[in-house]
């Protein structure tokens, strides 16, 4: 165990951190983060829709969701190349890079042109269903424009105004990108949207199995236990979660049952990430009853953030990260909890979440009830009992260890 810890601390974690700070990976993460307010809008509409049960005649607010969360693909297609150019210091071209990403994305959606001059898009392709396509489009546009960054039609000593030089120099990469899109869509008749969705379907399918669901959680928990922020996995997780909850909502709207268990809502608004990734809220509650002054203080300092699913203070403050005594129960919960949740939801004993609710800072329990009602809260109670039981013996060992350190320190001061 010590050798593993040393290797993770000195080799794996630094290399992974360096990878995530790569401009391209960091840009994709930031593009998704920038769109979170639009995702939250859909969650707020879910909250407001609760009033429909109490106030008759409430207006239909779903168009607000349609034109925020439902346009996620468009936002990503613009933001990804924009942020890449910004991080690479190519500020002059970042706006046109974003606009080019948007142009190529819309072209690849393959709209239908009618004789009367109207254009017909499939609305769902603008949203979460088009998220993966938008990310790939954004990266492709950024690669091409970045490659042409040093290209210029003009010599350095030209007397032409700077803006005229920029106009002409931007023409080549933009034209190349759009010609490629035109050839694929209108000459070779590829439906790139369907092609990309088809290619990524196996990943979507695997992620919705019991093994995929458990693996999703455990990978995040494992990385977090070694001090690597779960935000590292954002591009992968969100590309699975967002289309999945959109499909669930669409199925329910058509009078059918939701099918996707692996969603953000199941993880952080339902039952798995209680207090944050790694289910640390029960550990913090145990800290409140610790004999060690240090652990009791940590419990008091971190209980409020944890109620709002913010657990970085306890992960790095207890610490849980790189602490073998507390890492092990975190791993155990990272496997047992998703198994219980998946089986219960798969058997239909509790409804699979079908509403967009990504207000991760809503205390779990409240969000659980909003999504799945009383039965969901019962499942949460069962899961909490399991978490408390798993954390308890390891908490006792750590509490005893810290108490002994404090007693020894006190004896040294006195003697």
């Amino acid at each position: 165990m010590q050798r593993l810890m040393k290797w993770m601390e000195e080799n794996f974690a630094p290399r992974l951190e360096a990878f995530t700070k790569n401009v391209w990976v960091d840009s994709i993460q930031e593009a998704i983060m920038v769109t979170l307010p639009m995702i939250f809008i859909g969650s707020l509409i879910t909250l407001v829709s609760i009033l429909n049960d109490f106030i008759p005649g409430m207006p239909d607010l779903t168009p607000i969701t349609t034109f925020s969360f439902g346009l996620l693909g468009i936002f990503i297609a613009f933001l990804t190349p924009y942020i890449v150019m910004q991080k690479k210091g190519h500020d002059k071209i970042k706006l046109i890079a974003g606009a080019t990403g948007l142009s190529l994305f819309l072209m690849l959606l393959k709209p239908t042109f009618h004789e009367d001059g109207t254009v017909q898009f499939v609305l769902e392709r603008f949203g979460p269903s088009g998220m993966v396509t938008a990310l790939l489009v954004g990266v492709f546009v950024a690669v091409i424009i970045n490659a042409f960054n040093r290209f210029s039609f003009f010599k350095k000593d030209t007397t032409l105004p700077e803006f005229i030089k920029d106009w002409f120099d931007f023409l080549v990469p933009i034209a190349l990108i759009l010609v490629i899109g035109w050839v694929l869509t209108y000459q070779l008749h590829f439906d790139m949207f369907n092609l990309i969705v088809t290619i990524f379907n196996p990943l979507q399918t695997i992620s919705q199995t019991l093994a995929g669901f458990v693996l999703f959680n455990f990978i995040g928990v494992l990385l977090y236990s070694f001090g690597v922020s779960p935000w590292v996995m954002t591009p992968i997780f969100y590309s699975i979660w967002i289309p999945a909850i959109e499909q669930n909502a669409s199925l329910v709207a058509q009078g059918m049952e939701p099918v996707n268990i692996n969603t953000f809502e199941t993880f952080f608004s339902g039952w798995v990430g209680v207090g944050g990734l790694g289910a640390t809220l029960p550990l913090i509650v145990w800290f409140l009853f610790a004999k060690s002054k240090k652990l009791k203080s940590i419990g008091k300092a971190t209980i409020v953030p944890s109620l709002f699913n913010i657990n970085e203070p306890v992960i790095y403050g207890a610490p849980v990260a790189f602490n073998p005594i507390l890492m092990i129960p975190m791993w155990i919960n990272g496997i047992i909890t998703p198994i219980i949740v998946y089986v219960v939801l798969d058997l239909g004993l509790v409804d699979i979440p079908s509403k967009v609710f990504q207000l991760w800072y809503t205390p779990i329990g409240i969000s659980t009830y909003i999504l799945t009602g009383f039965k969901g809260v019962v499942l949460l109670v069962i899961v909490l009992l399991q978490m408390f039981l798993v954390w308890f013996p390891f908490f006792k060992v750590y509490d005893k260890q810290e108490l002994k350190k404090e007693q020894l320190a006190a004896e040294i001061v006195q003697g």
Side-chain angles (χ1 to χ4, degrees):
M1 187 66 177
Q2 285 296 112
R3 293 178 66 181
L4 174 63
M5 295 282 290
K6 184 177 180 181
W7 180 80
M8 291 293 292
E9 185 173 5
E10 296 180 0
N11 294 281
F12 179 76
R15 289 177 182 175
L16 184 60
E17 185 178 1
F19 171 75
T20 59
K21 288 183 178 179
N22 176 279
V23 167
W24 299 90
V25 176
D26 191 36
S27 296
I28 292 172
Q29 291 175 331
E30 187 170 329
I32 294 173
M33 291 300 102
V34 170
T35 64
L36 282 181
M38 292 300 187
I39 297 173
F40 289 167
I41 289 293
S43 304
L44 290 171
I45 296 303
T46 297
L47 271 176
V48 174
S49 67
I50 297 173
L51 298 175
N52 291 333
D53 298 331
F54 306 98
I55 304 175
M58 276 281 292
D60 180 16
L61 299 177
T62 53
I64 296 177
T65 300
T66 300
F67 291 100
S68 53
F69 178 70
L71 298 180
L72 192 61
I74 287 181
F75 305 144
I76 294 291
F78 175 87
L79 287 167
T80 304
Y82 176 92
I83 293 173
V84 171
M85 293 301 106
Q86 185 178 56
K87 288 185 177 295
K88 282 186 167 289
H90 307 327
D91 288 333
K92 287 195 300 183
I93 201 170
K94 62 184 181 182
L95 282 172
I96 195 64
T100 306
L102 183 57
S103 296
L104 181 61
F105 177 68
L106 292 175
M107 185 186 294
L108 295 184
L109 296 186
K110 204 172 184 180
T112 302
F113 293 87
H114 299 286
E115 292 182 0
D116 62 358
T118 59
V119 182
Q120 181 179 354
F121 285 91
V122 178
L123 184 60
E124 68 175 20
R125 293 188 171 194
F126 287 142
S129 298
M131 184 174 173
V132 174
T133 303
L135 283 171
L136 294 176
V137 163
V139 171
F140 173 74
V141 169
V143 167
I144 298 296
I145 291 181
N146 184 63
F148 277 86
N149 181 60
R150 295 183 180 180
F151 170 83
S152 179
F153 285 109
F154 308 96
K155 295 180 180 180
K156 291 183 179 180
D157 57 354
T158 181
T159 57
L160 286 172
E162 189 74 17
F163 69 91
I164 293 180
K165 288 172 52 183
D166 291 342
W167 285 351
F168 281 95
D169 289 343
F170 296 165
L171 284 176
V172 175
I174 295 170
L176 177 62
I177 289 165
L178 295 182
V179 166
I180 290 173
W182 171 76
V183 169
L184 290 173
T185 305
Y186 296 104
Q187 302 306 305
L188 300 179
H189 302 291
F190 280 137
D191 187 334
M192 292 302 295
F193 178 88
N194 274 339
L195 180 61
I196 292 171
V197 169
T198 301
I199 291 172
F200 278 82
N201 262 343
L203 178 60
Q204 287 278 1
T205 302
I206 292 170
S207 72
Q208 297 302 333
T209 64
L210 173 59
F213 184 65
V214 174
L215 189 61
F216 250 61
N217 185 61
F218 185 71
I219 288 174
V221 168
L222 182 67
L223 291 175
Y224 207 12
S225 70
F226 284 105
V228 179
S229 171
W231 291 112
V232 168
M233 305 299 292
T234 298
I236 297 173
F237 286 175
Y238 272 76
S239 66
I240 298 294
W241 285 339
I242 294 178
I245 193 64
E246 184 200 34
Q247 184 184 16
N248 283 354
S250 177
L251 288 171
V252 170
Q254 297 171 52
M256 295 184 282
E257 295 295 321
V259 296
N260 297 313
I261 292 174
N262 189 358
T263 63
F264 178 98
E265 287 71 14
T266 301
F267 270 93
F268 295 112
S269 301
W271 307 274
V272 181
V274 178
L277 186 66
T280 52
L281 179 59
L283 173 65
I284 294 171
V285 173
W286 284 130
F287 279 174
L288 295 175
F289 299 94
K291 294 180 180 179
S292 161
K293 293 181 181 178
K294 171 191 169 182
L295 296 188
K296 188 180 285 289
S297 297
I298 290 173
K300 290 177 180 179
T302 59
I303 185 65
V304 173
S306 190
L307 288 172
F308 293 92
N309 300 314
I310 300 169
N311 67 345
E312 282 83 358
V314 72
I315 292 293
Y316 301 112
V320 176
F322 289 104
N323 182 342
I325 297 174
L326 298 181
M327 289 167 70
I328 293 173
M330 191 173 175
W331 297 345
I332 294 172
N333 277 325
I335 295 173
I336 295 177
T337 306
I339 290 176
I340 293 172
V341 171
Y342 188 96
V343 170
V344 170
L345 267 60
D346 192 48
L347 291 174
L349 300 177
V350 174
D351 295 336
I352 297 173
S354 60
K355 302 172 183 176
V356 178
F357 194 89
Q358 304 203 359
L359 301 177
W360 51 266
Y361 42 79
T362 304
I364 205 157
I366 295 174
S367 57
T368 309
Y369 179 78
I370 290 171
L371 285 171
T372 55
F374 180 72
K375 289 191 293 184
V377 175
V378 172
L379 174 58
L380 178 60
V381 171
I382 294 170
V383 166
L384 278 170
L385 288 173
Q386 166 253 307
M387 291 173 179
F388 272 102
L389 288 173
V390 169
W391 279 113
F392 181 71
F394 296 92
F395 152 71
K396 291 296 289 183
V397 170
Y398 191 49
D399 185 31
K400 185 176 180 179
Q401 176 181 294
E402 292 301 307
L403 180 62
K404 187 175 180 180
K405 288 180 182 178
E406 290 171 6
Q407 290 172 341
L408 287 172
E411 289 174 4
I412 291 172
V413 170
Q414 293 173 0

